[in-house]
Amino acid sequence: MNLAGLNTLIYLRKSRADLESEARGEGDTLARHRTQLLDYAQKIGVVVGAIYEEVVSGDTIAARPQMQRLLSEVESGAWDAVLVMEIERLARGDSIDQGVVARAFRYSETKIITPVKVYDPTNEFDEEFLEFGLFMSRREYKTIRRRLNAGVQASRREGKFTGSVAPYGYLREKLKGEKGYTLVPDPETAPIVKDIYTWFLRDKMHPYTIMKRLNEMQIPSVAGPSWYRRTIVNILSNPHYAGYTTASRRPVKMVVVDGELKKTRPRSKDVTLYEGRHEPLIPREDWETVQKRLSENQAPPVPRGKGQTNAFCGLIYCSHCGSRMQRSYTNNGYTYIYCMNRHYTGCPTISASYTLIESIVCKTLKNWALGLDLNLDGVPTDTTVYERSLIDLNKKREELAAREARAFELVETGVYTPEVFVQRKTALEQEQAEIENKIINLNDAVLKLKQNERVCKEFIPRVQSVLDVYASSNPHERNELLKTVISRIEYKKTKRVLPNSPCDLELHIFPRLPFNTLE
């Protein structure tokens, strides 16, 4: 097959075998493959237009940005061929991913070139070879995954630490004379772990109180300067401190959300414990006592969509620290919105009445329904004047271009001296700049007008429909309604006042306008 002159893209991706070989010191795989494919491209005479390098070993196309880019360009017909080391480098995902790859190359008639074989998607036999190669690639991938998982489980049963990051209070250390790692106490942070357990067991301190003490002592946390209650609970429930190693406490689980495959890491309820080789920081009896106390004080989970009391969940944010605001209440029934970081990091934001915030939001929605506070004023409703002005300005721009070309001819023929030419050219450039600015301003005005039209036709009726059913909806339904017309609420209040007194509360409410699909 004659391949000379084909506009070709080189795609490079590391496989798991490549990562293992690099760990053994066998050199950079991508650099070696790049050299081999460039030499092969020169040999067969194809024209290399680009090289895409995937530095991640992803299971799915969604986890490989360069592969997504490649498929997008292949589907648009940007390349005559794609050059890879092996057909397996393109897809090792499930049957859906394999179908996406095969379909993209088939309908765009883009060839796949490897040093061993050229796959022509318009050829029925090559198409079968391609589909079979992708299928065998997936089988090989699953075999490798099973082998790796079996090795990890065997290491855990032997008491080795298989994680990439050691728990707080430990350091990761290579085992001598054998493969794998174990844990050794960190002289700096191990005493802090012991203090946390002592405060919780002996002093009966709540995790929240322990968090405040550590922050007051200005001791750096696991992942930053501040401690959080959840971090304390995670340390208190971690079996490694009692000398165990474990199966994964948060295994990866694939779920389908809105038709897309996504990774989740739910906490496992039943975790298998193995006898570890490392030194425990906490006596096992104390650790088991801690687990019993934690289980007795767990808050029951709230089912999704049921029991929700905050209509602003996921919408309202602190303007000072940027964190999400929470809803809470007092014993006498007073409900309020507050910033969690006021307790954690000393954020100066003060709480405010939930009812007051809701009334301000509803008032804003009523103004939007009337077309107020949406910046719709100042632009005429007729585009005729803009269209005429743009036609005139484009004619003037063409005239200036012709005059500039004429000036070049006159200086070349000697009619203009160089000094006169420079003056004429400067004047023409100034006129061109003025015309370009006017055209930009007119285009901005046209865009503004189109946006206003969409707001009037789409957004304002949507706001009115929210108001029509808001009062009769429960908090969960109100939250779903508000998210259709509000993208974000920024909350600001820094002075504490008595209830029902004037305060400095400011809410900056951002409308969810339909401009992202404006054509």
Side-chain angles (χ1 to χ4, degrees), residues 78-93:
W79 304 100
D80 298 325
V82 172
L83 178 58
V84 292
M85 284 298 298
E86 307 159 313
I87 199 68
E88 292 83 357
R89 304 282 168 167
L90 291 175
R92 275 192 166 177

Side-chain angles (χ1 to χ4, degrees), residues 117 158 227 274 504:
K117 178 176 173 54
E158 294 171 4
W227 289 83
Y274 305 107
D504 63 338

Side-chain angles (χ1 to χ4, degrees), residues 396-397 399-405 407-408 420-438:
K396 289 182 179 180
R397 183 165 57 181
E399 292 174 359
L400 285 174
R403 288 165 59 187
E404 186 177 23
F408 277 104
V420 172
F421 171 74
V422 170
Q423 293 177 356
R424 294 294 301 159
K425 188 173 183 296
T426 302
L428 289 171
E429 287 176 348
Q430 291 177 349
E431 289 187 55
Q432 287 174 338
E434 292 175 359
I435 289 176
E436 292 297 335
N437 286 334
K438 290 179 180 179

Side-chain angles (χ1 to χ4, degrees), residues 201-301:
L201 275 176
R202 187 192 66 192
D203 301 337
K204 310 296 183 183
M205 292 175 62
H206 191 275
Y208 176 78
T209 310
I210 297 174
M211 172 208 75
K212 290 191 67 176
R213 174 176 287 189
L214 290 172
N215 284 332
E216 289 169 358
M217 295 169 66
Q218 296 185 348
I219 296 175
S221 73
V222 178
S226 300
W227 289 83
Y228 296 90
R229 188 192 66 83
R230 173 46 59 184
T231 308
I232 304 298
V233 173
N234 287 341
I235 289 177
L236 290 171
S237 59
N238 193 330
H240 288 92
Y241 299 120
Y244 292 113
T245 59
T246 71
S248 178
R249 295 193 294 158
R250 300 190 67 176
V252 175
K253 182 180 180 182
M254 306 302 292
V255 296
V256 178
V257 179
D258 297 331
E260 294 185 6
L261 194 63
K262 295 185 178 181
K263 288 183 179 181
T264 61
R265 297 181 66 89
R267 292 186 180 275
S268 180
K269 295 181 179 180
D270 298 319
V271 180
T272 304
L273 302 181
Y274 305 107
E275 196 68 34
R277 297 189 183 186
H278 59 281
E279 175 189 342
L281 297 182
I282 308 299
R284 193 157 293 178
E285 298 78 11
D286 290 350
W287 184 82
E288 291 174 352
T289 303
V290 168
Q291 306 318 301
K292 183 178 179 181
R293 283 186 54 186
L294 288 174
S295 63
E296 291 173 349
N297 293 279
Q298 284 184 346

